[in-house]
Amino acid sequence: MPVTGNIRPVAEVKLQVFGLDTHIRFPYGGYGEDHDDRIELVRTAIARTRSATGGDVVLADVLLVGDTAADVAAGHAAGVPVLAVATGRTSAAELADAGAAATIRDLQDAAPFHGLLR
């Protein structure tokens, strides 16, 4: 389930550029047009997933991938673990200090990512 401050069409294009769009269930996501608050976007995505699947979403099975301290805070507030990627303006140290479950420099550094997946 994607969560982004981008509106859904922009999110779809961005993920398509990297070939990731085939792995994403866009109807389950939370997008910029849904809310301005990142925490609410996470909650929206979880609610949509629960509604679409008719099942419960175990928060420990959700992994928020973000690149800001605000993303880490949103994950914490929603009760989900966060993998922080230091590709934006926030350093790896700042992301780790914010409380990310793991911090990586880029998405090519896959070992910590795999460690958070079950």
Side-chain angles (χ1 to χ4, degrees):
M1 73 184 92
V3 175
T4 178
N6 292 300
I7 62 171
R8 181 175 166 177
V10 172
E12 290 178 6
V13 169
K14 283 184 172 183
L15 291 172
Q16 184 180 33
V17 167
F18 295 100
L20 298 174
D21 58 315
T22 59
H23 304 287
I24 303 295
R25 294 183 176 156
F26 288 101
Y28 296 8
Y31 302 97
E33 67 265 24
D34 296 319
H35 209 285
D36 290 333
D37 185 324
R38 291 170 202 250
I39 298 164
E40 290 304 317
L41 294 179
V42 175
R43 291 178 180 148
T44 296
I46 291 168
R48 284 183 176 150
T49 301
R50 284 180 174 146
S51 177
T53 63
D56 195 25
V57 174
V58 178
L59 297 181
D61 291 340
V62 174
L63 178 63
L64 190 151
V65 179
D67 64 355
T68 69
D71 293 333
V72 176
H76 283 278
V80 301
V82 180
L83 170 65
V85 184
T87 56
R89 291 179 239 164
T90 311
S91 72
E94 290 170 311
L95 293 167
D97 289 345
T103 304
I104 58 177
R105 282 181 259 207
D106 58 45
L107 292 175
Q108 292 178 358
D109 184 8
F113 180 73
H114 290 293
L116 292 171
L117 299 175
R118 294 188 209 199

